[in-house]
Every structure is written in C-alpha cells, then in structure tokens.
Amino acid sequence: MKEYVKQYFSQFDVLVISILFAFGFLWLIPDMHRIHVWMALAIGMLSYAVSEYLIHRFIFHMTPPKIRWLLAMLKRLHYDHHVSPNQLNLLFLPVWYSLPLIMLAGCAAFFITKDFSLMVAFVTGIMGYLLYYEWTHYIAHQPVQPITPWGRWMKRMHLWHHYKNENYWYGVTNPALDLLFCTYKNEKQVNRSSTARNLEQNDMK
C-alpha cells in the first residue's frame, strides 16, 4: 500500500490540492473553538459528496456535445477515462477544472456568511473531501484491495460502472444518491452496456 500512497501524492493535481488543504487547515487552527467553523467544514464536505454524484451523472455523462472545445474538455475530464479506465493521468481531476469551482464555491460562501474564516472552513471541507474522493477513485483502479469492507464495496461498485453499465453506480465514495435516485441496482439484474467503454456513442441513446 505504501507505494500507492507515494504514487497518489506524487500526482501534480493531488499535490496542489493537498498543499491548499494544509494551508486552509492551518489557517483555521485559531478558530477551531468556534462550532460554526466545524459546521462549515462539514457542510463543505457534504457539498462535495453531493456534487460528486450530480456532476458525474449529469455533466460527465451528458450527451456528447457538438461544440468542439466542450467535447474536448469532457473527453479529458471523463470520456477518455472510460476508454482507458486504468490510465493514471486520466484518473485525477485537473486543477484547471477543480480550482475555479472551489473558488466559486468560496465566493458564494463568503457572500452568504460575510465571514472569512467560515469561507476558508467551507472550501477546506470541499478540498478534504475531494482528496478522499481522489484516493477512493485511484484505489478503485489499482490492482490492490482496499483495507476496509466499505472500501472494497465501493471499489466493486465503481468497477461495475466502468465494465458493466455506465448508467448506474455513479457514486464513487458513497452510494447514497444512487439509492435515492434509483441508479443503484443489483449488478446481476443489469444488462451489460455496449457503450460503457465509449461514452461518445451515447449520443445514439
């Protein structure tokens, strides 16, 4: 497992988010006595957990657009990952995508709270959960079994999404919204999709 931890943190996009997360956490230490700071951290984490499913299902699996630059962006963000699920440089969300979204979320948090520390706590929660998401996703595509039963279940579920049917099992870190929106199915009852490895064919659906 040590070699996988080393490889994970050696990825540029993971390293950048890790450094920013560390700075955010250190900034918050003087305010850790405030319950609202812990609430903002938790809300940030929950926000990413929800957006993980929504973005994966409705944006990353959208009908391939005709606009070339948008198609190129989606190919890098997700389509090509389905073509080559284990290709390392396609496993992680690039910072040119994640950082602008984090900044927008931070601006929204500051607009609502008018409190800089709560804004930092919110985006630190987002980045913390993003790192958890990236690790869970990375391990799902490595030839190693996760340590916990939960991790092994989520890995199995994610691989069904890639190799059985791309229209189910969108959650990477948790199945809550799959269960809520009926995209969690018994794997044995789901037909194998001919487009699981080529999302660009989905414009024929």
Side-chain angles (χ1 to χ4, degrees), residues 86-118:
N86 297 330
Q87 189 171 323
L88 189 63
N89 68 312
L90 297 175
L91 287 180
F92 304 100
L93 293 172
V95 290
W96 56 256
Y97 164 80
S98 56
L99 284 183
L101 293 181
I102 292 170
M103 291 171 65
L104 284 173
C107 290
F110 186 76
F111 179 79
I112 293 168
T113 66
K114 303 298 190 295
D115 188 310
F116 190 78
S117 290
L118 292 184

Side-chain angles (χ1 to χ4, degrees), residues 25-39:
F25 195 83
L26 290 172
W27 178 278
L28 292 172
I29 289 176
D31 288 320
M32 287 298 187
H33 63 283
R34 297 174 58 193
I35 187 65
H36 290 94
V37 167
W38 290 101
M39 290 174 62

Side-chain angles (χ1 to χ4, degrees), residues 10-109:
S10 70
Q11 303 306 304
F12 175 77
D13 302 297
V14 171
L15 185 60
V16 169
I17 299 298
S18 297
I19 291 170
L20 292 174
F21 171 79
F23 273 114
F25 195 83
L26 290 172
W27 178 278
L28 292 172
I29 289 176
D31 288 320
M32 287 298 187
H33 63 283
R34 297 174 58 193
I35 187 65
H36 290 94
V37 167
W38 290 101
M39 290 174 62
L41 274 167
I43 292 170
M45 295 172 68
L46 180 62
S47 298
Y48 194 90
V50 171
S51 70
E52 168 197 317
Y53 176 93
L54 296 177
I55 291 173
H56 188 185
R57 180 179 178 183
F58 296 110
I59 297 180
F60 290 175
H61 280 257
M62 67 187 291
T63 300
K66 304 301 182 184
I67 303 171
R68 287 188 177 183
W69 68 265
L70 184 55
L71 177 61
M73 183 176 73
L74 285 172
K75 282 173 66 66
R76 167 58 187 90
L77 290 174
H78 203 66
Y79 291 175
D80 288 353
H81 172 53
H82 270 261
V83 175
S84 303
N86 297 330
Q87 189 171 323
L88 189 63
N89 68 312
L90 297 175
L91 287 180
F92 304 100
L93 293 172
V95 290
W96 56 256
Y97 164 80
S98 56
L99 284 183
L101 293 181
I102 292 170
M103 291 171 65
L104 284 173
C107 290

Side-chain angles (χ1 to χ4, degrees), residues 133-151:
Y133 163 86
E134 294 284 38
W135 171 255
T136 304
H137 189 219
Y138 167 70
I139 287 298
H141 291 282
Q142 300 306 309
V144 62
Q145 282 298 313
I147 297 171
T148 66
W150 176 268

Side-chain angles (χ1 to χ4, degrees), residues 126-188:
I126 289 175
M127 290 187 291
Y129 204 94
L130 170 57
L131 290 170
Y132 171 57
Y133 163 86
E134 294 284 38
W135 171 255
T136 304
H137 189 219
Y138 167 70
I139 287 298
H141 291 282
Q142 300 306 309
V144 62
Q145 282 298 313
I147 297 171
T148 66
W150 176 268
R152 291 192 289 273
W153 181 38
M154 292 310 302
K155 174 170 182 167
R156 188 162 59 250
M157 181 173 140
H158 187 63
L159 294 181
W160 292 340
H161 173 78
H162 274 282
Y163 296 103
K164 187 67 179 284
N165 195 308
E166 76 280 15
N167 300 302
Y168 300 99
W169 312 296
Y170 292 101
V172 175
T173 63
N174 73 89
L177 292 184
D178 278 301
L179 292 167
L180 180 63
F181 293 115
C182 300
T183 52
Y184 183 91
K185 300 289 185 182
N186 185 324
E187 180 264 341
K188 293 181 173 60

